[in-house]
């Protein structure tokens, strides 16, 4: 019998991949997926977990009628459904460094959402503080093996951590990590370093405490606090001198940890090296780049892969291959070095370091550029060149910048040809080579 409770547990099917198993079975967009092998499906994680079996009994609702469909397939083969998005669990914290609180008006709506959802951590690598996780959530994490998770620690001293999170009720982070580790859930952790808050002895303690949970704490990333010009209560900035001292300290700790456990698990964000004007470590010291999406190892990996890709370009003297490469101020010097080498292959790239007027001068990364700042930077520029926009400047699976401007609006406003390229060396070389 079809009840409200059954419908409440289901999830809408947005699309069905053409020629997929689900398509052949007669499942259609607009159907509601209720269960697989009598297991209720409430989100994408349930779907992926329960569809892995070879024999499936799939229950859907179509036009108010509950239908049962039997499917036989190879183990772990995707049946081809795209499901409705997950309703995000919101963050209960008021962190002293919260980036969402520093956003001005006029940005895309999703940027004002403070997410704190273990499901997004598992699916997309979003960082969570574990401050709103319930026992029911943990049971699901353990039973469905939702690993790895990405955890914002900031400090293992609970009094300091609660102060930084603005949450007096935040649980003991080491006890939370111990429980996850006991259930063999792997964790990638981060410490957002705020000068005068969680550095010095607090930082040493935090790293040492986390290291003791290896191998389940698989990585520890130290990243500098980011501030926009809209922050009300300014924090001490990470300047060149502070960055140098931090690198010196962390390099020593990193070596000691590797000597103790035989593995690299402590990683220093690229921004520290950029601010300090120091050379990056060899890429061999980044293990398998577990936190590259967190700005850890992106630049050295890009430069290494660029050199490798460069050997595969055919040397041409085609001067018509003229481009403009858009990037943030921090990466511009490295990209300009790459552009200089490409000139020997008949590729002319004008690298433009876009100043972030929208969020402030202290924001220098390409991932936080806005369409309006890029448009401003393109004024009085040779419009016969093709403009290359790095994919990180756009919302995932969409063509909108931070300020909600679309790529098409940028084309129209600049009067130039604009293309989006993959934000790595391979993406650049494939387009210009």
């Amino acid at each position: 019998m079809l009840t409200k409770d059954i419908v409440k547990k289901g999830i809408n099917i947005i699309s069905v991949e053409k020629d997929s198993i689900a398509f052949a079975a007669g499942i259609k967009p607009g159907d509601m997926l209720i269960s697989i092998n009598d297991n209720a499906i409430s989100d994408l994680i349930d779907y992926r977990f329960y569809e892995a079996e070879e024999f499936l009994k799939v229950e859907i609702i179509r036009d108010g009628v509950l239908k049962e469909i039997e499917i036989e397939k190879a183990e772990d083969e995707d049946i081809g459904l795209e499901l409705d998005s997950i309703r995000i669990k919101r963050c209960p914290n008021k962190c002293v460094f919260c980036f969402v609180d520093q956003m001005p008006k006029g940005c895309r709506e999703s940027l004002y959402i403070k997410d704190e959802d273990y499901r997004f951590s598992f699916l997309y690598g979003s960082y969570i503080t574990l401050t709103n996780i319930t026992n029911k959530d943990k049971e699901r994490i353990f039973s469905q093996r939702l690993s790895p998770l990405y955890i914002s620690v900031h400090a293992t001293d609970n009094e300091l951590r609660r102060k930084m999170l603005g949450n007096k009720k935040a649980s003991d982070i080491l006890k939370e990590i111990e429980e996850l580790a006991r259930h063999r859930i792997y964790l990638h952790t981060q410490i957002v370093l705020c000068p005068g808050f969680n550095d010095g002895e607090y930082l040493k303690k935090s790293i040492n405490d986390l290291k003791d949970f290896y191998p389940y704490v698989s990585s520890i990333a130290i990243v500098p606090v980011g501030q926009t010009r809209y922050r009300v209560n300014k924090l001490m900035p990470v300047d060149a001198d502070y960055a140098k001292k931090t690198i010196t300290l962390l390099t020593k700790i990193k070596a000691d940890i590797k000597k103790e456990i035989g593995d690299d698990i402590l990683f220093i964000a690229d921004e520290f090296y950029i601010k300090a004007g120091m050379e990056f470590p060899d890429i061999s010291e980044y293990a398998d780049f577990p936190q590259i999406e967190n700005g850890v190892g992106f630049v050295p990996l890009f430069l290494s892969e660029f050199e490798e890709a460069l050997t595969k370009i055919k040397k041409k003297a085609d001067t018509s291959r003229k481009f403009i490469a858009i990037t943030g101020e921090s990466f511009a010097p490295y990209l300009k070095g790459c552009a200089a080498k490409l000139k020997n292959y008949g590729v002319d790239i004008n690298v433009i370091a876009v100043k972030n007027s929208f969020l402030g001068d202290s924001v220098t990364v390409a991932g936080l550029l806005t369409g309006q700042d890029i448009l401003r930077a393109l004024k009085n520029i040779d419009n016969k060149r093709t403009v290359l926009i790095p994919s990180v400047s756009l919302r995932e699976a969409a063509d909108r910048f931070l300020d909600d401007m679309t790529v098409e609006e940028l084309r129209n406003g600049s009067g130039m040809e604009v293309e989006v390229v993959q934000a790595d060396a391979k993406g650049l070389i494939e387009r210009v080579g």
Side-chain angles (χ1 to χ4, degrees):
M1 178 181 177
L2 191 60
T3 66
K4 288 184 179 180
D5 187 55
I6 291 176
V7 174
K8 187 177 180 180
K9 291 180 180 178
I11 184 168
N12 291 321
I13 297 171
I14 302 300
S15 66
V16 181
E17 186 179 338
K18 190 176 180 181
D19 300 326
S20 66
I21 296 171
F23 183 87
I27 299 175
K28 300 177 180 180
D31 292 344
M32 178 178 283
L33 178 61
I34 299 299
S35 69
I36 296 178
N37 290 344
D38 296 321
N39 298 293
I41 306 299
S42 60
D43 56 31
L44 179 60
I45 296 175
D46 282 338
Y47 166 65
R48 287 184 177 177
F49 186 77
Y50 293 114
E51 70 149 356
E53 299 179 30
E54 294 181 59
F55 300 96
L56 306 180
K57 182 182 73 173
V58 180
E59 287 187 315
I60 63 168
I61 293 176
R62 181 184 301 158
D63 299 326
V65 178
L66 186 65
K67 295 179 177 291
E68 184 178 301
I69 299 171
E70 293 187 353
I71 292 175
E72 182 177 350
K73 64 177 186 64
E75 190 175 359
D76 294 327
E77 186 178 5
D78 185 4
I79 63 175
L81 300 181
E82 180 184 351
L83 305 180
D84 202 357
S85 58
I86 296 173
R87 180 174 292 181
I88 303 174
K89 294 178 69 174
R90 302 303 176 92
C91 179
N93 307 317
K94 296 180 180 179
C95 297
V96 295
F97 51 83
C98 180
F99 207 80
V100 175
D101 290 341
Q102 302 179 63
M103 297 303 297
K105 295 180 180 179
C107 297
R108 57 177 179 256
E109 189 175 341
S110 61
L111 291 171
Y112 302 106
I113 297 175
K114 291 184 180 183
D115 63 295
E116 171 76 13
D117 198 312
Y118 71 93
R119 297 169 300 176
F120 276 67
S121 184
F122 171 69
L123 289 170
Y124 310 116
S126 301
Y127 282 87
I128 56 174
T129 62
L130 299 174
T131 51
N132 67 350
I133 198 164
T134 65
N135 288 332
K136 186 176 180 181
D137 294 335
K138 291 177 185 178
E139 289 173 8
R140 185 184 184 191
I141 289 169
F142 303 151
S143 65
Q144 294 187 346
R145 307 292 310 144
L146 304 187
S147 177
L149 296 178
Y150 293 75
I151 311 299
S152 285
V153 176
H154 310 316
T156 56
D157 179 278
N158 282 307
E159 184 178 351
L160 174 61
R161 186 170 191 263
R162 287 164 185 153
K163 180 181 178 181
M164 294 185 72
L165 296 178
N167 184 348
K168 295 179 181 179
K169 297 181 180 180
S171 58
D172 186 321
I173 186 60
L174 291 178
K175 287 183 179 179
E176 296 286 5
I177 290 175
E178 189 278 330
E179 184 176 12
L180 291 165
R182 185 160 26 92
H183 286 84
R184 296 179 292 115
I185 302 298
Y186 289 87
L187 309 173
H188 294 295
T189 63
Q190 73 162 353
I191 295 172
V192 175
L193 194 60
C194 301
F197 268 90
N198 58 340
D199 50 7
E201 293 303 315
Y202 285 118
L203 178 60
K204 294 177 185 177
K205 178 183 184 303
S206 296
I207 294 171
N208 189 60
D209 288 341
L210 293 172
K211 173 263 300 178
D212 288 343
F213 290 102
Y214 174 83
Y216 296 107
V217 167
S218 303
S219 68
I220 307 166
I222 313 300
V223 301
V225 63
Q227 300 185 78
T228 77
R229 64 188 179 93
Y230 295 95
R231 169 161 286 289
V232 177
N233 300 311
K234 295 289 185 181
L235 300 172
M236 287 176 59
V238 174
D239 58 18
D241 184 59
Y242 186 90
K244 289 177 183 177
K245 290 178 180 178
T246 299
I247 292 171
T248 300
L249 171 66
L250 295 178
T251 300
K252 174 65 168 59
I253 297 174
K254 178 182 175 74
D256 290 342
I257 291 176
K258 186 171 184 179
K259 185 176 180 180
E260 178 183 345
I261 67 175
D263 201 357
D264 277 314
I265 65 168
L266 179 63
F267 304 102
I268 308 168
D270 294 358
E271 192 172 347
F272 283 110
Y273 292 96
I274 294 170
K275 286 183 178 294
M278 295 173 63
E279 289 188 7
F280 292 97
D282 187 83
I283 61 170
S284 63
E285 294 188 29
Y286 288 92
D288 58 350
F289 293 87
Q291 300 218 30
I292 195 166
E293 298 295 334
N294 203 14
V296 181
F298 173 84
V299 177
L301 182 62
F302 184 100
L303 297 178
S304 175
E305 291 184 340
F306 177 84
E307 292 298 331
E308 182 180 349
L310 199 61
T311 63
K312 300 176 182 178
I313 295 182
K314 293 182 179 180
K315 192 169 184 177
K316 297 179 181 179
D318 182 3
T319 55
S320 66
R321 294 190 294 171
K322 294 184 176 181
F323 303 91
I324 291 172
I326 295 296
T327 190
E329 292 180 305
S330 60
F331 186 59
Y334 306 100
L335 191 55
K336 286 179 179 179
C338 294
K341 293 180 179 181
L342 284 168
K343 276 197 172 183
N344 297 325
Y345 296 82
V347 180
D348 185 354
I349 300 181
N350 180 12
V351 176
I352 294 183
V354 178
K355 180 179 180 179
N356 201 321
S357 300
F358 190 76
L359 295 177
D361 294 349
S362 63
V363 180
T364 60
V365 295
L368 294 174
L369 291 177
T370 60
Q372 59 190 269
D373 281 336
I374 296 173
L375 185 59
R376 189 179 298 110
L378 290 175
K379 282 188 177 180
N380 304 317
I381 298 291
D382 180 5
N383 63 7
K384 293 181 181 179
R385 291 176 179 261
T386 300
V387 180
L388 305 179
I389 305 292
S391 57
V392 292
S393 298
L394 301 168
R395 179 183 180 184
E396 189 175 345
D399 67 345
R400 293 182 180 274
F401 294 95
L402 191 73
D403 57 353
D404 222 24
M405 181 185 286
T406 65
V407 173
E408 186 61 30
E409 288 170 340
L410 179 61
R411 289 193 187 101
N412 295 335
S414 65
M416 303 173 74
E417 181 59 35
V418 177
E419 295 182 18
V420 179
V421 295
Q422 187 175 321
D424 56 22
K426 182 181 179 182
L428 176 65
I429 295 293
E430 284 183 350
R431 176 60 189 87
V432 305

